[in-house]
Amino acid sequence: MTHMTPQNPPLAAALILLATVFIAGTTLLAKSLGTDTLGPPLHPLQISQGRFVFAFIGISTAVVVMRQKIRAPHWGLHIGRSTFGWGGVTLMFASVAFIPLADATAISFLNPVIGMLLAIPFLGEKVGPWRWLAAAIALGGAMVLLRPTPESFQPAALLALGAALAMGAELIFIKKLAGREPPLQVLWVNNLIGMVIASTAAIAVWQMPTLAQWGALAALGGLMACAQACFINGMARADASFVAPFAYGTLVFAAIYDAAIFGVLPDAITVLGACIILSGAALLAWRESVNGKRPSVTLRRPAP
């Protein structure tokens, strides 16, 4: 007998908003670790390793406490998802060391559009004119944020664009995994594989963190584990089309954190580009709801 979680839209919205608070916090910590705020800057590969190691510890604790059985994971899909997820996280962490958190976060919201485009060849989905319009609007916003002029172009913004591409590809694997395995098992396996990949990649650049950096790395993994838990529980309590707008709160909190901690205020181009991207993503989510679908590729996974 399938267990159905009682629907509670207000609670779902609160959980998704809380997840965005945590996600924005991870980018803030990544920026602190990737600059000289807490000591000699750590390489993005090492920051990504810390995120997966400590998140895995937190999720493993939940698996033990909740007595979750790990049964027959689909290793092929998990490895594909975890590889792209690790790539997206690492590129995102690299970008926030060089550009404002709001810029990097806004560009990363292209991932549902990337997921939509990749769903055409890999999932055989059909894309109508409204969805193409949403994609065009969001991509236009990304061009604004990239500031493509010789005087204002931000090369590091391409790292955030790469993160969006990787996260968009990850959404394809998430959609293939949907309903196959219990959510907590998916999280545990994802973070296990991510930890192995991240630890292997970080060997060549690993350096001893300062005490403050160890604390930030532990907090980074803990916040991500909490964000994933909030996100999964929120998604279970309301339609994805309802909670989609609340997921964009990450951008707001990232801008607040950047202003409060680093004194970086969003400029007019950041606000304009972010609004355009979010308009495209919102149009995509609305169109999916009109079509009566649960848009698993219109929501951003709580990563970095």
Side-chain angles (χ1 to χ4, degrees):
M1 181 176 178
T2 302
H3 173 71
M4 297 297 292
T5 302
Q7 296 294 282
N8 188 334
L11 178 58
L15 287 169
I16 296 299
L17 277 176
L18 184 57
T20 67
V21 172
F22 293 145
I23 297 166
T26 66
T27 60
L28 173 66
L29 290 169
K31 183 168 184 171
S32 299
L33 290 162
T35 57
D36 58 3
T37 305
L38 303 175
L42 297 183
H43 194 283
L45 291 174
Q46 186 172 351
I47 300 173
S48 178
Q49 180 207 23
R51 169 257 182 268
F52 279 103
V53 168
F54 287 104
F56 177 72
I57 292 172
I59 293 170
S60 294
T61 302
V63 167
V64 172
V65 171
M66 299 178 68
R67 299 181 180 179
Q68 172 68 56
K69 301 293 185 182
I70 307 299
R71 294 190 175 95
H74 192 300
W75 290 107
L77 291 178
H78 280 294
I79 290 172
R81 179 210 169 156
S82 299
T83 300
F84 281 111
W86 163 78
V89 164
T90 303
L91 289 169
M92 185 68 174
F93 287 169
S95 70
V96 297
F98 301 103
I99 63 176
L101 294 181
D103 283 25
T105 303
I107 292 172
S108 75
F109 274 118
L110 283 174
N111 79 82
V113 174
I114 303 300
M116 183 201 80
L117 296 175
L118 292 176
I120 300 173
F122 292 107
L123 299 178
E125 293 189 359
K126 295 182 179 180
V127 177
W130 281 100
R131 297 173 78 187
W132 281 116
L133 176 61
I137 291 173
L139 291 172
M143 290 304 297
V144 172
L145 282 177
L146 288 173
R147 296 168 168 82
T149 64
E151 296 79 20
S152 60
F153 176 63
Q154 303 180 98
L158 295 177
L159 294 171
L161 185 59
L165 290 170
M167 292 175 186
E170 182 190 14
L171 288 174
I172 300 300
F173 288 93
I174 291 175
K175 188 167 188 178
K176 284 181 172 290
L177 276 168
R180 285 175 176 256
E181 302 171 21
L184 187 56
Q185 173 173 312
V186 171
L187 280 182
W188 186 83
V189 175
N190 170 237
N191 282 275
L192 170 64
I193 297 173
M195 179 179 66
V196 172
I197 295 172
S199 297
T200 303
I203 291 175
V205 299
W206 200 90
Q207 66 188 57
M208 179 60 72
T210 65
L211 183 60
Q213 288 173 334
W214 275 120
L217 288 169
L220 176 59
L223 286 179
M224 184 51 63
C226 291
Q228 290 175 322
C230 289
F231 189 83
I232 286 177
N233 280 283
M235 288 291 291
R237 286 169 170 78
D239 288 341
S241 57
F242 170 77
V243 299
F246 298 100
Y248 303 139
T250 304
L251 179 59
V252 176
F253 291 114
I256 292 173
Y257 295 163
D258 218 8
I261 306 299
F262 295 101
V264 177
L265 297 174
D267 59 16
I269 293 179
T270 294
V271 174
L272 175 62
C275 287
I276 295 174
I277 287 178
L278 295 188
S279 295
L283 176 60
L284 181 58
W286 169 78
R287 191 58 188 173
E288 293 283 1
S289 67
V290 169
N291 290 340
K293 300 176 181 178
R294 292 183 63 87
S296 57
V297 297
T298 62
L299 276 175
R300 179 171 180 263
R301 179 188 71 86

